[in-house]
Amino acid sequence: MANRTPLMAGNWKMNLDHQQAIQTVQKLAWALRDGKHDFGAVEVAVLPPFTDIRSVQTLVDADKLELKYGGQDCSAHVSGAYTGETSPVFLAKLGATYVAVGHSERRQYHAESDDLVNAKVKAALGAGLAPILCIGEDLETRRAAAHVQHTLLQLEGGLLDVSAEQVRKVVVAYEPVWAIGTGETATPEDAQEMAEAIRARLVELYDEETAQAVRVLYGGSVKSSNVASIMAKPDVDGALVGGASLDPEEFAAIARYKSHI
Ligand SMILES: O=C(CO)COP(=O)(O)O
């Protein structure tokens, strides 16, 4: 069994302005400190809106917090005439560790293709960021029992021309679209089925050792009440948390899932 450090990442989506971000991160840090959270045992990260990141960086640096942070998206380009885009290099300059790429809301509302997601994964890696590559099926695809095939195609598309050395840095987040913001959680068995299939495909694309090094997260209505059963599955290495990450106490409780097994 590989030694993968679990990651709990909070995707704030388009919530919390920079002042609210400071309060939320402060409360999260206090809640984790009160719970004697071991960051070496479970990594904790927040993905705030771009306009918050400089404020989060300042707080993390000033208070020497072990919390990681990152973006929710980035450009496939480093710089240039791309109005409204944010360079992964600029995120790295702000001390970001992670960047989510190919979230289903980006795929749905901004028509992001696997090709574009792949270009963003490579741009993020080039900037020294760890991309959180989001993949997952919608309800119709699951009902047609094509969810594994669909999700693995997104995985392959997102990782095209990514080397074995680079992919070790990539975090894969399996987020079934039907479980996002709906209160409908995939069962721990559903999460494990896909995480296992993702790892098996990584073995085919790369090799066993590389596949064992890649973290696979589950996302979709994760809460402190259901996280422990999901984390008990052998191929699930953390969670990408939306709504519940906006509440610092609740998110801290998710990060401390080991204390409520
Ligand atoms: O999309 C998600 C995280 O990226 C999941 O969102 P919820 O946790 O709100 O369902």
Side-chain angles (χ1 to χ4, degrees):
M1 191 64 214
N3 197 13
R4 298 182 293 268
T5 306
L7 169 64
M8 294 298 167
N11 173 12
W12 291 0
K13 308 193 178 184
M14 200 172 72
N15 295 292
L16 307 181
D17 62 35
H18 76 283
Q19 287 167 333
Q20 294 167 320
I22 293 169
Q23 289 167 3
T24 304
V25 169
Q26 244 158 7
K27 285 183 186 162
L28 175 61
W30 290 332
L32 291 168
R33 193 185 54 200
D34 290 350
K36 298 194 171 27
H37 183 75
D38 178 358
F39 286 89
V42 180
E43 245 188 275
V44 185
V46 291
L47 309 180
F50 288 133
T51 49
D52 298 1
I53 292 181
R54 174 68 177 147
S55 306
V56 171
Q57 178 193 30
T58 305
L59 178 61
V60 165
D61 285 356
D63 290 0
K64 297 189 173 49
L65 304 179
E66 289 177 86
L67 202 69
K68 307 263 173 64
Y69 53 91
Q72 299 171 12
D73 179 37
C74 69
S75 176
H77 305 280
V78 167
S79 65
Y82 302 103
T83 303
E85 295 274 277
T86 299
S87 168
V89 175
F90 302 165
L91 282 172
K93 194 90 192 265
L94 287 172
T97 302
Y98 295 104
V99 63
V101 171
H103 190 279
S104 61
E105 287 148 20
R106 302 288 317 170
R107 293 179 191 261
Q108 185 180 350
Y109 305 132
H110 300 270
E112 292 200 6
S113 64
D114 282 335
D115 283 352
L116 178 62
V117 172
N118 177 239
K120 290 184 176 192
V121 166
K122 288 189 278 199
L125 286 165
L129 298 172
I132 301 176
L133 169 61
C134 304
I135 54 179
E137 81 287 355
D138 58 20
L139 190 56
E140 212 175 302
T141 308
R142 176 156 281 261
R143 285 198 176 131
H147 52 290
V148 176
Q149 186 194 13
H150 172 93
T151 302
L152 294 184
L153 275 175
Q154 287 184 331
L155 178 75
E156 282 182 30
L159 294 179
L160 200 70
D161 296 327
V162 172
S163 72
E165 194 191 328
Q166 288 175 312
V167 83
R168 287 169 168 267
K169 224 182 151 175
V170 175
V171 177
V172 178
Y174 168 56
E175 298 206 304
V177 177
W178 49 270
I180 295 179
T182 57
E184 189 87 30
T185 326
T187 64
E189 290 69 33
D190 291 334
Q192 170 60 20
E193 177 198 34
M194 195 65 81
E196 194 178 338
I198 288 168
R199 207 173 303 285
R201 184 55 53 91
L202 290 172
V203 174
E204 288 166 17
L205 293 173
Y206 300 97
D207 55 76
E208 180 70 34
E209 203 204 328
T210 303
Q212 289 298 335
V214 176
R215 289 179 294 181
V216 180
L217 313 185
Y218 166 77
S221 299
V222 171
K223 302 184 274 288
S224 59
S225 57
N226 60 23
V227 65
S229 58
I230 296 166
M231 289 305 292
K233 295 296 175 189
D235 285 293
V236 180
D237 305 312
L240 188 54
V241 185
S245 73
L246 301 173
D247 175 345
E249 293 285 341
E250 171 67 3
F251 189 44
I254 290 171
R256 294 202 314 266
Y257 69 93
K258 285 185 182 175
S259 64
H260 45 97
I261 285 176

